[in-house]
Amino acid sequence: MAQSQTEDLTLSSAWSGGASPYAMVSKKLGMWLFIVSDSLTFSALLVAYSYVRVANQDWPKPFEWASILGASIMTFCLLSSSLTMVMAVAAAQRLERKKAVVWLLATVLGGLLFILLHAREWIGLIHEGVTPFANPWGVPLFGAAFFTLTGLHMTHVTVGVLYLVVIAWGFGSARFKPEDVEVSGLYWHFVDLVWMFIFPMVYLLSAKTVA
Amino acid sequence: MTEAVHVEPVVHQAPQGFIRKYIFSLDHKVIGIQYYLLALFSVMVGMLLSVLMRFNLAWPGTEVPILETLFPVGAPGGIMTPEFYLSLMTMHGTIMVFFVLTTAPQSGFGNYFLPLQIGAPDMAFPTLNMLSFWITFVSLLVLLAAFVVTGGAPISGWTGYPPLSALGEIAGPGLGTGQTLWVASIALFCVASLLGALNFITTTIDLRTKGMSMMRLPLTVWAWFVTAILALLAFGVLLAAGVLLLLDRVVGTSFFIPAGLVVSDQMINHKGGSPLLWQHLFWFFGHPEVYIAILPGMGVTSQILSTFARKPIFGYRAMAYAIMAIGLVSFIVWGHHMFLSGMSPYSAMVFSLTTTAVAVPSAIKTFNWLGTLWGGRVRFTTAMLFAIGFVSLFVTGGVSGLFLNQPSVDIYLHDTYFVVAHFHMIMGVAAIFGIFAATYYWFPKMFARHLSERLGKIHFWITFVGVYSIFMPMHFLGVMGNPRRYAEFTAFEFLADVVPIHEFISIAAFVTIGAQLLFAVNFFWSIARGKIAEINPWSATTLEWTVPSPPPHDNFGGRAPVVHRGPYEYSVPGASRDFILQSEPEMKVVHQ
Ligand code: HEM
Ligand SMILES: [Cu+2]
């Protein structure tokens, strides 16, 4: 509206309306807010985990170095996928669609590797007799907390992989804008960040100590 | 001003067809009304349950044949069992807190009027908005289904404390399928509320029209905005708690079940969990939740007091900051619900202090409301009466809160009727008064007709006197040691004296609930036959009063209004009228 653009307003900061502060598109702000609320959910679960862990003296510490190594490799996959995500967003912003799609698919690959390794670990643990209500080493809650936390996280990674595939397809075919890639990047980095809490709290703190 | 004449073509095409228009509508106004009607239905169910409860409390053991027909298990021979009473209580609380107090003021009126008041064509994410409503709807159905499954509705209260809520059928009727449905319903409600909150926040930040700076927002918008922030943070935590409880019930984990529990003479095969963990997670959500229920009412009250006192709101900035302060502090007080759960006296002292701190911004709000009324040319419309009633109830309920937040006093008062009185006054009835005030105030905008003022005033006075008659005596019951969550008191000698008080309360409750029929009649009659309303019948200043009633599909006809001033410019010296619309440009007005 031409008239209102020339309007002299006493308040003319970004907060005075008519323009979004941070010049942020609503989708991006929406994703940030989703991340805030989802991180509250994860925080609550991590607090719950810490609470029951502290409350039980016989909390098991079963992870041998091989498990820790496995989890470290998983961590490596996720971290690398964050890096490729950064590249994807950068390429998208330069409107190099082909490159962006390749980087996105590399990110998807990192996520898939993580899921595969994680599934392998789960199956191994289940074979050792770890379930949500029992395990060979101590308090049954160990399994419950482990599967709940990593399970919810893995669900997020899986959703993320699907999300990125859709974005790669849509951006490659020029249906989506660079912002859409960026917004999906926010989600992906957040999922990685959550893992950076789970890895030390669930794995490293439960590494087998040599008695 | 040019933009008043210059009409650009409408950008959004209004949807055609009944389903797209009224059922799966993306229009925030339709969704707002959907939420409102959902709350209206819920409040009727909730009231019906309270009638049954009040009947049993005053005249326990009376045969009511119809009860047996409806609930052969819950009321064999027409006499309700104590467990059935508890299931009524649980459903009453859950329906009222979630589907009435969280739904109508925020999702209902917020949806309808937030975009209008900030000059936006719709919410930021219309599809998410529709999704939030339909998830809420499914959540309500899931909850109500608990009435008809085997075992009936759960008996663990609206707070769903484990171990009772975690063990399943063995712990009592309704704790099998009924309780599982309850948890599922709450989890769904969390998801819906989170989506709604995200939408409200984004809309308020991004979609304000030109000139609508944060410090020009109507206080209603401030309240909805801060409420949405509280919801975004609080419901995420309840969701986590709900997931864990569901796992305990369905998968067999024991997050909330301690070792060595013997229930119904059976050893429970769980160990390691902690019921206290639930209390922490629940109340971390629960206390902000009480503010989620009440803040929109505060916003509406400010709006209405200013409109009908024909004065600017007293201390606009202080009001906005007080809302933020209340929101912030509400996250560090949850322990005051757990003074008797075995916490260290030092933690209790800290929680007591933070809770007392909430009284400061609350008092600021109260004094500013009184300051707004002071010396105003008050018009006692029904909306105004309900807004003043809100202030009265908020003060009464707040004062009893100051007793409860002393840990040493709470040792005695906890889980007595004193607490029932406190939270009904401040959360239940005050928020309901906020809803009524908003309904009488905005009805002309929503339906282009007025509610009958005459019926409205009768409705107000019966309700006002009624709720005080119901809830004031409960303070005394509490002081007499009358415990809450009991189906009857006949077995206790020391409670012989409370019976007549309960009878009085029940009669007052029946009269008050009966008077709500007046409102229902007024509401539906006025939609069809009420007096035709003008665009701005109250001579109010905010943007929703500049558009036709009901507002067209995209609110402002495809043009964004421009805002030139704050929201409460009433009786400005030198102005030609006693109100200046927010969209009126700087002109003949001489500013002080
Ligand atoms: C000055 C402000 C307030 C203070 C000092 C205060 C204090 C308290 C305390 C200490 C309790 C726990 C009592 C017990 O269980 O033994 C309590 C319960 C409660 N309060 Fe408040 N409160 C205040 C404001 C509010 C507001 C504004 C609301 C709602 C809008 C509210 C709603 C409730 C509810 C629902 C409960 C009972 C929950 C239950 O156990 O079922 N309170 N309050
Ligand atoms: Cu509280």
Side-chain angles (χ1 to χ4, degrees):
Chain A
M1 283 182 65
Q3 310 98 322
S4 45
Q5 234 105 74
T6 54
E7 199 78 40
D8 178 37
L9 291 163
T10 32
L11 287 149
S12 56
S13 79
W15 287 96
S16 43
S20 56
Y22 322 124
M24 199 188 257
V25 284
S26 294
K27 261 189 214 156
K28 196 158 150 196
L29 181 57
M31 180 54 84
W32 272 112
L33 293 172
F34 168 78
I35 288 173
V36 168
S37 86
D38 210 30
S39 60
L40 259 289
T41 306
F42 270 112
S43 308
L45 289 180
L46 285 170
V47 165
Y49 160 71
S50 314
Y51 192 107
V52 289
R53 188 180 163 122
V54 171
N56 286 285
Q57 262 133 24
D58 52 344
W59 196 266
K61 291 186 175 175
F63 290 130
E64 313 260 358
W65 76 269
S67 315
I68 297 293
L69 183 67
S72 305
I73 297 176
M74 282 153 57
T75 310
F76 178 74
C77 290
L78 267 197
L79 281 184
S80 327
S81 77
S82 253
L83 195 66
T84 54
M85 190 71 225
V86 172
M87 305 305 284
V89 173
Q93 263 152 3
R94 291 192 306 267
L95 277 177
E96 300 171 347
R97 291 193 188 266
K98 277 244 172 61
K99 260 198 195 156
V101 170
V102 171
W103 284 120
L104 278 172
L105 292 181
T107 313
V108 167
L109 190 71
L112 282 178
L113 267 177
F114 175 86
I115 295 175
L116 283 178
L117 286 171
H118 212 349
R120 198 195 59 119
E121 187 202 13
W122 270 41
I123 293 170
L125 284 172
I126 292 169
H127 275 302
E128 283 184 65
V130 188
T131 64
F133 33 86
N135 66 69
W137 313 298
V139 196
L141 266 174
F142 171 81
F146 177 83
F147 286 120
T148 308
L149 272 170
T150 58
L152 191 70
H153 179 260
M154 208 173 6
T155 313
H156 276 72
V157 178
T158 313
V159 171
V161 165
L162 295 176
Y163 181 17
L164 291 186
V165 168
V166 173
I167 291 289
W169 165 80
F171 190 68
S173 58
R175 279 185 180 81
F176 293 161
K177 296 201 212 87
E179 279 108 70
D180 297 315
V181 180
E182 196 188 344
V183 171
S184 70
L186 288 177
Y187 176 83
W188 191 257
H189 294 313
F190 165 68
V191 173
D192 285 4
L193 187 69
V194 171
W195 179 256
M196 296 318 290
F197 281 88
I198 294 182
F199 179 55
M201 287 179 73
V202 175
Y203 288 87
L204 296 185
L205 281 180
S206 301
K208 193 169 212 148
T209 37
V210 215
Chain B
M1 194 49 211
T2 30
E3 90 261 19
V5 232
H6 188 92
V7 181
E8 283 172 23
V10 176
V11 256
H12 297 154
Q13 199 61 52
Q16 304 300 318
F18 184 78
I19 300 220
R20 291 294 311 281
K21 216 164 159 183
Y22 297 111
I23 312 286
F24 295 108
S25 170
L26 300 179
D27 185 330
H28 69 102
K29 298 184 288 297
V30 178
I31 297 174
I33 291 180
Q34 287 176 325
Y35 268 117
Y36 188 86
L37 292 179
L38 182 135
L40 201 61
F41 169 77
S42 305
V43 80
M44 288 186 209
V45 177
M47 277 195 316
L48 207 67
L49 299 177
S50 67
V51 168
L52 295 177
M53 283 191 288
R54 278 316 323 172
F55 187 79
N56 195 62
L57 287 171
W59 301 283
T62 316
E63 251 179 69
V64 189
I66 176 130
L67 267 186
E68 182 171 28
T69 334
L70 287 174
F71 302 99
V73 185
I79 301 173
M80 66 169 82
T81 61
E83 290 82 2
F84 183 66
Y85 174 89
L86 290 178
S87 73
L88 295 178
M89 182 202 79
T90 303
M91 295 296 270
H92 165 80
T94 311
I95 289 176
M96 289 301 199
V97 170
F98 291 99
F99 295 96
V100 180
L101 302 185
T102 312
T103 301
Q106 176 78 3
S107 313
F109 285 110
N111 246 314
Y112 199 111
F113 287 103
L114 185 134
L116 280 167
Q117 290 197 325
I118 62 173
D122 204 316
M123 292 294 242
F125 307 111
T127 316
L128 272 192
N129 204 11
M130 176 186 80
L131 211 61
S132 314
F133 171 75
W134 285 105
I135 298 177
T136 310
F137 183 80
V138 172
S139 162
L140 177 62
L141 289 189
V142 171
L143 183 70
L144 291 178
F147 272 123
V148 293
V149 296
T150 17
I155 60 173
S156 56
W158 83 277
T159 52
Y161 273 14
L164 201 53
S165 61
L167 294 176
E169 245 154 328
I170 185 173
L175 297 175
T177 321
Q179 184 78 54
T180 306
L181 287 174
W182 184 89
V183 186
S185 162
I186 296 303
L188 282 173
F189 193 89
C190 289
V191 174
S193 301
L194 288 172
L195 296 181
L198 187 155
N199 212 343
F200 271 62
I201 299 173
T202 311
T203 306
T204 314
I205 292 184
D206 273 359
L207 263 54
R208 281 167 297 120
T209 191
K210 199 152 185 65
M212 182 60 89
S213 65
M214 293 303 274
M215 280 300 152
R216 283 176 176 173
L217 289 178
L219 286 169
T220 37
V221 177
W222 266 113
W224 289 319
F225 179 56
V226 174
T227 302
I229 296 176
L230 295 190
L232 190 81
L233 301 177
F235 276 106
V237 172
L238 183 64
L239 181 60
V243 167
L244 294 182
L245 186 57
L246 210 56
L247 290 175
D248 270 7
R249 300 183 50 80
V250 182
V251 180
T253 59
S254 9
F255 288 104
F256 302 123
I257 312 172
L261 212 55
V262 178
V263 174
S264 310
D265 293 328
Q266 259 184 322
M267 183 78 183
I268 301 293
N269 186 23
H270 278 275
K271 64 177 178 190
S274 161
L276 267 185
L277 172 61
W278 170 268
Q279 295 192 16
H280 280 295
L281 294 176
F282 184 86
W283 287 115
F284 183 85
F285 149 81
H287 192 85
E289 161 64 21
V290 305
Y291 283 99
I292 291 172
I294 204 70
L295 283 182
M298 293 184 173
V300 165
T301 297
S302 307
Q303 174 94 2
I304 292 177
L305 289 188
S306 179
T307 307
F308 294 115
R310 311 309 293 165
K311 275 182 65 191
I313 192 82
F314 188 91
Y316 172 87
R317 270 174 192 268
M319 289 303 245
Y321 291 136
I323 295 178
M324 287 185 253
I326 290 177
L328 195 73
V329 180
S330 74
F331 279 103
I332 48 170
V333 300
W334 79 91
H336 66 217
H337 296 275
M338 298 169 62
F339 287 149
L340 267 82
S341 301
M343 67 164 55
S344 128
Y346 297 106
S347 327
M349 197 175 79
V350 172
F351 280 121
S352 173
L353 281 174
T354 53
T355 306
T356 316
V358 183
V360 176
S362 307
I364 291 179
K365 299 212 70 98
T366 307
F367 283 114
N368 285 358
W369 286 324
L370 298 180
T372 305
L373 287 174
W374 188 265
R377 285 174 293 120
V378 179
R379 294 186 196 161
F380 288 103
T381 58
T382 311
M384 183 65 160
L385 290 175
F386 273 106
I388 295 174
F390 176 97
V391 178
S392 158
L393 291 162
F394 184 70
V395 172
T396 312
V399 168
S400 59
L402 291 175
F403 287 83
L404 293 172
N405 78 32
Q406 309 300 320
S408 50
V409 181
D410 191 52
I411 291 175
Y412 183 78
L413 292 177
H414 179 69
D415 263 346
T416 67
Y417 265 79
F418 194 90
V419 175
V420 181
H422 161 68
F423 72 75
H424 274 95
M425 280 285 183
I426 198 150
M427 160 151 131
V429 191
I432 294 274
F433 269 47
I435 298 173
F436 280 138
T439 307
Y440 283 98
Y441 181 70
W442 276 316
F443 191 91
K445 184 50 62 188
M446 298 164 78
F447 300 106
R449 287 173 188 273
H450 280 281
L451 283 164
S452 153
E453 282 286 307
R454 176 194 296 254
L455 270 185
K457 282 183 182 147
I458 302 175
H459 171 222
F460 168 78
W461 282 110
I462 302 181
T463 308
F464 186 71
V465 176
V467 294
Y468 267 101
S469 314
I470 298 169
F471 295 111
M472 262 326 224
M474 289 191 188
H475 294 95
F476 304 112
L477 291 177
V479 173
M480 288 159 84
N482 192 344
R484 70 190 272 216
R485 296 186 168 170
Y486 279 38
E488 53 179 80
F489 311 103
T490 40
F492 312 97
E493 212 174 303
F494 81 103
L495 288 177
D497 290 343
V498 305
V499 176
I501 305 184
H502 275 292
E503 284 176 5
F504 172 81
I505 293 177
S506 290
I507 292 168
F510 298 153
V511 172
T512 314
I513 289 174
Q516 304 316 305
L517 283 179
L518 286 180
F519 174 75
V521 168
N522 196 354
F523 187 85
F524 290 108
W525 185 83
S526 300
I527 285 183
R529 293 285 163 79
K531 200 176 91 201
I532 302 281
E534 308 146 39
I535 282 191
N536 187 3
W538 313 123
S539 302
T541 51
T542 41
L543 290 180
E544 76 271 31
W545 303 109
T546 62
V547 291
S549 315
H553 176 62
D554 52 2
N555 297 347
F556 296 93
R559 301 167 309 107
V562 179
V563 167
H564 299 267
R565 56 188 71 249
Y568 301 114
E569 306 226 340
Y570 290 103
S571 308
V572 177
S576 51
R577 286 180 306 191
D578 77 340
F579 68 101
I580 308 178
L581 289 165
Q582 280 196 280
S583 56
E584 273 178 56
E586 209 71 38
M587 41 172 195
K588 317 112 210 169
V589 191
V590 194
H591 261 289
Q592 57 280 65

